[in-house]
């Protein structure tokens, strides 16, 4: 604890406080994305709400830069920092399901794997993301797109209430009946307004789902993506699908001759009656005799963790994501060209079909925007060796530029450090952004919570 001026104690703090040199500090200073090799002055591992209040008060009163960490999966590394205080909620992992009311209360450090495990024990779930390793906190506060979104909406659409520690160090509850404007802002406005210590969600009956993927060699991408576009036009809302351009995973998922080769994949999750699901995915499974067909009935938590290994913690990532209105022939051509230029075997391009329940929520009903977008398009540059950084970042940026003419909006949780204009763009209209600024002025006038896709109180 001697390398910086880290304090030895925070009054009223009960969890572990880690300063440089302490056991566990090196491990705790890293988050999911290894690109961000930062050294906080102090990592405060919160054991409960009292610790969160103590940590917020301490950072504010000492003018410290503050990072708030839920699941640690911030793409631009916002949940760690140099020389500041990291308020790490990851020890706060309790989940309490009420199977009768079909609701759940989960603490701010829970990830979707833990959440789904607990809710899944009752055959219940609410929408999370595409993998189980992300935190419920960051994903929900930004919106939350994932496998159940077309049937049950975004993660934030299922939020009933949230307990929030404000910049003043006070605990408030936000819901449809209490602090309603704050509740509006929490559903899409990210970590701008306070630290959410506990989330209450509505649950749905989601036991077994029909999930999996069909896979083809990449030279079939033009026809497979064109078929995917047509398929999506009539796909039922119970089915959420993604089309991916990736490198084939290892055996036993694919035959040896395809391992390590580029492939085009259409993956899906049907949440509902399984025989109806079989009918719904049949056109995907029948199209063009796919050499690999992994669709099968699965418990939802298994489906939600199926892609976890594609994005392990400790590797480096740079991501570009936007919404597009259509998978047009021109866009298909552009994306295939970009896929051919992938600088390494871990890079990926995803199209995710939106619509359904997402678009039934009004554009101004929550802070989360672009509810009429048809697809989310994301390019993931992923590398292991530091010397690969430059080429990978250049590839993702190039792809972002190449697809720009097709984009209709952006998603705050897919943004990197891209500047204020892109944050503003993520909220659609001036009016909406102004409403968020007003909320920020009310709850965080001095911008204590600034390490996020920041809505500046003075904007
Ligand atoms: P953290 O790094 O802990 O937090 C990110 C930010 O959220 C923090 O900087 C802070 O501002 C805020 N925050 C975190 N916890 C709290 C809290 N308790 N209270 C207040 N603010 C808080 N997004 C999707 O929508 N769908 C996906 O399918 C999806 N897949 C992803 C897969 C991977 C591998 C990764 C890395 C990201 C993915 N994302 C996805 C993006 C993801 O939603 C964001 O990265 C999100 O911020 C992660 O949340 P976290 O709690 O894990 O992150």
């Amino acid at each position: 604890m001697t390398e910086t001026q880290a304090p030895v104690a925070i009054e009223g703090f009960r969890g572990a406080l880690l300063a440089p040199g302490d056991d566990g500090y090196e491990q705790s200073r890293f988050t999911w994305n290894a690109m961000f090799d930062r050294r906080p002055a102090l990592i405060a591992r919160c054991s409960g709400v009292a610790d969160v209040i103590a940590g917020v008060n301490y950072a504010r009163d000492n003018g410290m830069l503050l990072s708030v960490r839920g699941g640690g999966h911030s793409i631009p590394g916002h949940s760690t920092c140099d020389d500041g205080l990291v308020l790490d909620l990851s020890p706060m992992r309790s989940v309490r399901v009420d199977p009768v009311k079909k609701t759940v209360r989960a603490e701010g450090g829970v990830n979707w794997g833990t959440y789904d495990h607990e809710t899944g024990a009752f055959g219940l779930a609410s929408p999370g993301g595409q993998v189980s390793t992300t935190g419920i906190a960051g994903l929900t506060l930004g919106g939350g797109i994932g496998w159940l979104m077309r049937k049950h909406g975004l993660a934030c659409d299922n939020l009933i209430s949230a307990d929030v520690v404000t910049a003043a160090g006070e605990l408030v509850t936000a819901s449809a009946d209490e602090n309603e404007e704050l509740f509006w802002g929490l559903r899409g406005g990210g970590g701008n307004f306070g630290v959410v210590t506990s989330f209450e969600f509505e649950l749905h009956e989601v036991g077994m789902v029909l999930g999996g993927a069909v896979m083809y060699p990449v030279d079939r991408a033009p026809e497979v993506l064109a078929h995917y576009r047509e398929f999506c036009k009539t796909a039922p809302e119970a089915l959420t699908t993604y089309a991916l351009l990736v490198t084939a995973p290892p055996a036993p998922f694919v035959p040896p001759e395809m391992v390590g080769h580029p492939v085009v994949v259409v993956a899906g999750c049907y949440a509902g009656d399984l025989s109806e699901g079989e009918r719904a995915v049949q056109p995907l499974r029948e199209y063009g005799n796919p050499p690999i067909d992994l669709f099968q009935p699965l418990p939802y938590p298994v489906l939600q963790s199926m892609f976890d290994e594609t994005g392990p913690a400790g590797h480096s990532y740079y991501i570009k994501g936007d919404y597009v209105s259509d998978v047009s022939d021109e866009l298909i051509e552009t994306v295939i060209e970009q896929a051919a230029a992938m600088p390494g075997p871990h890079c990926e391009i995803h199209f995710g079909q939106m619509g359904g329940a997402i678009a039934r929520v009004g554009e101004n009903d929550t802070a989360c925007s672009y509810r009429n977008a048809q697809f989310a398009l994301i390019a993931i540059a992923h590398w292991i060796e530091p010397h690969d950084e430059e080429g990978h970042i250049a590839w993702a940026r190039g792809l972002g530029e190449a697809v720009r003419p097709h984009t209709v909006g952006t998603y705050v949780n897919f943004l990197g450090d891209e500047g204020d204009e892109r944050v503003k763009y993520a909220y659609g209209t001036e009016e909406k952004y102004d409403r968020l600024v007003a909320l920020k002025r009310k709850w965080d006038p001095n911008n204590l919570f600034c390490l996020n896709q920041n809505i500046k109180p003075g904007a």
Side-chain angles (χ1 to χ4, degrees):
M1 193 161 65
T2 49
E3 292 173 40
T4 69
Q5 292 95 37
V8 286
I10 293 179
E11 198 183 332
F13 195 92
R14 196 169 55 123
L17 287 172
L18 305 175
D22 287 346
D23 282 352
Y25 172 85
E26 286 301 319
Q27 192 189 350
S28 298
R29 74 187 177 89
F30 283 103
T31 55
W32 168 78
N33 193 347
M35 247 183 106
F36 303 103
D37 181 5
R38 302 210 162 127
R39 302 190 68 79
L42 195 63
I43 302 167
R45 290 179 50 78
C46 302
S47 61
V49 176
D51 282 357
V52 175
I53 292 172
V56 165
N57 287 339
Y58 186 86
R60 186 195 59 239
D61 294 346
N62 290 281
M64 286 180 92
L65 183 63
L66 177 65
S67 274
V68 178
R69 183 182 301 171
H73 274 58
S74 162
I75 289 167
H78 286 152
S79 45
T80 187
C81 61
D82 278 327
D83 304 323
L85 175 69
V86 172
L87 206 56
D88 179 3
L89 274 73
S90 64
M92 294 171 59
R93 287 187 190 167
S94 112
V95 180
R96 183 181 186 280
V97 178
D98 184 332
V100 177
K101 285 192 190 153
K102 297 202 176 94
T103 60
V104 58
R105 188 166 272 289
E107 284 188 299
V110 171
N111 69 18
W112 290 105
T114 302
Y115 182 93
D116 294 332
H117 176 73
E118 294 298 332
T119 63
F122 303 94
L124 300 169
S126 70
Q130 212 180 343
V131 296
S132 74
T133 51
T134 47
I136 63 166
L139 188 134
T140 302
L141 295 171
I145 68 178
W147 291 112
L148 300 177
M149 62 184 166
R150 285 170 43 78
K151 182 164 186 187
H152 296 300
L154 301 172
C156 75
D157 297 338
N158 292 270
L159 190 65
I160 299 171
S161 73
D163 287 351
V164 186
V165 173
T166 68
E170 286 161 0
L171 181 72
V172 299
T173 296
S175 71
D177 310 314
E178 212 176 334
N179 294 308
E180 300 93 312
E181 187 67 2
L182 178 60
F183 186 54
W184 174 84
L186 289 175
R187 289 172 293 161
N192 272 288
F193 309 112
V195 184
V196 179
T197 53
S198 157
F199 294 81
E200 184 189 8
F201 289 102
E202 179 186 355
L203 293 170
H204 309 276
E205 283 179 24
V206 184
M208 297 293 281
V209 296
L210 187 70
V214 284
M215 209 178 287
Y216 310 77
V218 79
D219 57 5
R220 297 189 57 192
E223 40 140 342
V224 171
L225 291 177
H227 177 259
Y228 175 65
R229 170 186 64 214
E230 297 308 311
F231 172 82
C232 286
K233 288 181 181 162
T234 55
E237 290 184 1
L239 179 64
T240 296
T241 56
Y242 293 87
L244 322 168
L245 288 156
V246 294
T247 301
F253 300 111
V254 299
E257 66 275 14
M258 280 178 80
V259 172
H261 289 279
V263 289
V264 56
V265 177
V266 180
C269 169
Y270 185 95
D273 178 81
L274 291 180
S275 49
E276 283 173 27
E278 292 283 356
R279 279 193 291 280
V281 301
Q282 199 60 21
L284 290 178
R285 306 178 81 177
E286 279 177 351
Y287 178 75
N289 195 19
I292 296 154
D293 177 354
L294 302 170
F295 274 103
Q296 58 191 295
L298 299 164
Y300 170 69
V302 173
L303 183 273
Q304 221 219 357
S305 51
M306 205 161 77
F307 290 90
D308 285 2
E309 285 178 18
T310 61
H315 292 187
S316 295
Y317 302 84
Y318 185 87
I319 289 175
K320 281 280 178 194
D322 279 309
Y323 292 126
V324 295
S325 56
D326 189 18
V327 185
S328 64
D329 287 342
E330 206 187 340
L331 181 58
I332 290 175
E333 204 177 307
T334 304
V335 161
I336 291 173
E337 265 171 37
Q338 297 292 326
M342 277 178 186
H346 305 296
C347 296
E348 302 180 18
I349 301 172
H350 298 195
F351 285 100
Q353 191 192 0
M354 312 286 289
I358 303 164
R360 280 200 297 277
V361 176
E363 187 66 16
N364 291 320
D365 291 355
T366 65
C368 190
S369 300
Y370 300 107
R371 290 193 173 262
N372 288 319
Q374 296 299 305
F375 292 91
L377 171 60
I378 178 164
I380 305 169
H382 166 181
W383 66 99
I384 300 168
E385 300 300 334
H387 60 77
D388 285 331
E389 178 170 315
E390 201 179 322
H392 278 69
I393 292 178
W395 171 74
R397 284 189 177 148
L399 190 147
E401 284 307 312
V403 303
R404 186 127 310 161
H406 305 271
T407 61
V408 292
T410 200
Y411 172 38
V412 77
N413 271 347
F414 287 164
L415 288 179
D417 271 328
E418 299 180 34
D420 292 345
E421 282 309 308
R422 288 278 286 167
V423 176
K424 215 167 166 180
Y425 181 52
Y427 293 109
T429 61
E430 287 279 340
E431 294 72 28
K432 202 162 185 183
Y433 190 72
D434 289 348
R435 189 172 166 186
L436 286 160
V437 170
L439 199 59
K440 180 77 173 174
R441 283 194 184 128
K442 175 170 161 86
W443 293 102
D444 185 20
N446 296 316
N447 208 7
L448 177 66
F449 304 113
C450 62
L451 279 175
N452 43 43
Q453 296 303 344
N454 197 226
I455 296 161
K456 297 195 169 52

